[in-house]
Amino acid sequence: MVVLLVVASTALLRIHLIDTPLERDEGEYAYAGQLMLQGIPPYKLACNMKLPGTYAAYALIMAAFGQTTVAIHAGLLLVNGGAIVLIYLLGKRLFGVRSGLAACAAYALCSLGAGVLGTQAHATQFVVLAALAGLWLLLRWEQDGRRRGMLFASGVLFGVAFVLKQPGILFGVFAAAYLAATRCWRRLPEFLAGAALPFALTCLILWWVGVFDRFWFWTFTYASHYGTENSLAAGAAALADTFVPILQRGFALWALAAAGLWMALRERRFFVPALLLFSFLAICPGLYFRPHYVVLMLPAVALLAGVCVRGRWPAIVFACALALSLFLQRDVLFRMGPSEVSRELYGLEPFPEAVPVAAYIRAHTGPRDLIAVLGSEPEIYFYAHRHSATSYLYTEPLVEDQPFALRMQDDMIAELERNRPSYVVRFPIAETLRLGAGSAPRVFDWWKTYSPGRYRLVGIADIMEDGSSEYRWDAAAKSYQPRSLFHLAVYRRNAVGNP
């Protein structure tokens, strides 16, 4: 009953913010999922370095609930609810009912928290669900008679966690290490066979539909360079920048987790401390430490917080820690509306503005018209229900200091010249954010010489420092001078007649 109350309470908080505009990663997943529902495989018209599992998860959600922001966040609500239940089951099995209840409540609040961007349907939320299901099956296999096929099924779930996002492989490594530590060497092949199956099937399907080469280039060849761009100093700074806001909003629960870690180690119960270690390693690849990566650590943190709840007074302390964390996040969770939350989490990024910009484009184009975004806002393709004229969804990879940058820029330019998008959307500040000593802004220089005479400005979404927005369309856009670098500019190809 308590678990259902936790799930229901979390659902009510999420429903309040269910229409929060999609951010970039969500836009990428939604657009790729939308293409899959049209029978177009990943990496054919939309490329990035992520494995395709979350694309497929989004496609399933949209097939069930519709191709809207509300539908996507309703899917997140269900995924998060499933993770909460699994946290309870794991905590109950490892430490008892009270600990399980406390752990599921801690996870519910932490995974919704603003510090980890918990209102958004990031891939890490999906990875956690698959990994927790794999852990639960692993413990059931060990403690309930080692039933035939259960270990293989556990491996499959860990394999799904990897296909959802590459760092998910660390959960499978943890499970394999646990089997080795408990001297289940003879059963490792069964587990590893299950873990390999989802990726093997993914490769087979992508080979069958003819996109395996592009898939491999983006998810392994390019991704290996992306994962080595950051220095240790930059990584340490990113780690601090990420964890300070998280700890400020939820320090009481993290303090309880630290106490639970000490108690678990003192009692020589190493399962959850080891899970915490591997979870931390899962957020380390590339040393980027983005806030939503920390979601991968939250199951271990919540379970450790639950370790402390073994009597009346500790339970009261836990309740106070939970209440304090709620209080510190009251604005985001209770007072702000969806667009305000987007501003709170992402500053002046144009996520709320992408909605009316995409609506304008959709109203002025046909289903077969192609559009393009010079920036990194793939959510516009999803909202507009229009295909991109280029397979490059983000400009960041094109200007990074990596060996494929110039080739990528040339490819994007060739695709845009060949496909002649009806509309082009620019986010000018994105053209400077990632430029460094090793960057070559060839694609931006190309636009400056290519667009005059071919495209004309027909829309401006100007984002003010106070978070408000001003819009100018058609004739009103021509003479308007944006007051901020944070603006979306909409261009229409001259060959298209006036609506």
Side-chain angles (χ1 to χ4, degrees), residues 388-457:
S388 170
T390 173
S391 59
Y392 292 89
L393 300 183
Y394 302 103
T395 56
E396 280 91 341
L398 282 65
V399 296
E400 291 168 353
D401 187 12
Q402 49 95 0
F404 310 107
L406 288 178
R407 192 188 88 185
M408 289 177 170
Q409 292 193 48
D410 289 340
D411 286 347
M412 185 178 188
I413 291 169
E415 289 176 345
L416 292 174
E417 289 185 347
R418 180 172 64 252
N419 294 324
R420 302 173 68 224
S422 299
Y423 282 81
V424 174
V425 180
R426 287 180 61 221
F427 186 40
I429 198 168
E431 300 176 6
T432 61
L433 287 178
R434 292 301 297 269
L435 294 180
S439 301
R442 181 181 297 176
V443 66
F444 306 134
D445 294 339
W446 163 82
W447 172 254
K448 292 175 183 177
T449 59
Y450 179 80
S451 61
R454 293 183 175 89
Y455 287 87
R456 57 189 174 91
L457 184 68

Side-chain angles (χ1 to χ4, degrees), residues 242-277:
T242 291
F243 269 92
V244 167
I246 293 173
L247 295 177
Q248 285 175 339
R249 293 180 172 104
F251 70 89
L253 289 174
W254 282 78
L256 283 179
L261 175 62
W262 177 78
M263 293 171 63
L265 292 174
R266 187 185 64 177
E267 297 170 8
R268 303 181 65 83
R269 305 179 74 167
F270 300 121
F271 184 88
V272 181
L275 176 62
L276 179 67
L277 172 62

Side-chain angles (χ1 to χ4, degrees), residues 316-402:
I316 294 174
V317 171
F318 176 82
C320 291
L322 208 64
L324 179 60
S325 294
L326 274 171
F327 177 77
L328 291 174
Q329 300 184 77
R330 63 193 182 280
D331 288 339
V332 169
L333 298 180
F334 301 107
R335 296 178 182 175
M336 294 181 179
S339 293
E340 292 175 299
V341 167
S342 183
R343 282 282 183 261
E344 176 69 16
L345 300 185
Y346 296 101
L348 300 182
E349 298 287 4
F351 304 146
E353 290 70 27
V355 179
V357 165
Y360 175 88
I361 292 173
R362 187 174 185 182
H364 292 79
T365 57
R368 295 188 177 182
D369 287 328
L370 301 178
I371 66 174
V373 177
L374 288 181
S376 297
E377 308 305 328
E379 67 274 14
I380 291 175
Y381 302 125
F382 170 71
Y383 290 138
H385 289 257
R386 299 293 181 262
H387 288 180
S388 170
T390 173
S391 59
Y392 292 89
L393 300 183
Y394 302 103
T395 56
E396 280 91 341
L398 282 65
V399 296
E400 291 168 353
D401 187 12
Q402 49 95 0

Side-chain angles (χ1 to χ4, degrees), residues 254-321:
W254 282 78
L256 283 179
L261 175 62
W262 177 78
M263 293 171 63
L265 292 174
R266 187 185 64 177
E267 297 170 8
R268 303 181 65 83
R269 305 179 74 167
F270 300 121
F271 184 88
V272 181
L275 176 62
L276 179 67
L277 172 62
F278 279 86
S279 300
F280 176 74
L281 294 175
I283 76 170
C284 290
L287 303 179
Y288 290 97
F289 298 110
R290 295 191 173 96
H292 58 280
Y293 293 4
V294 180
V295 171
L296 299 176
M297 291 182 62
L298 296 184
V301 170
L303 288 168
L304 290 171
V307 171
C308 295
V309 185
R310 296 183 179 179
R312 179 178 299 176
W313 287 108
I316 294 174
V317 171
F318 176 82
C320 291

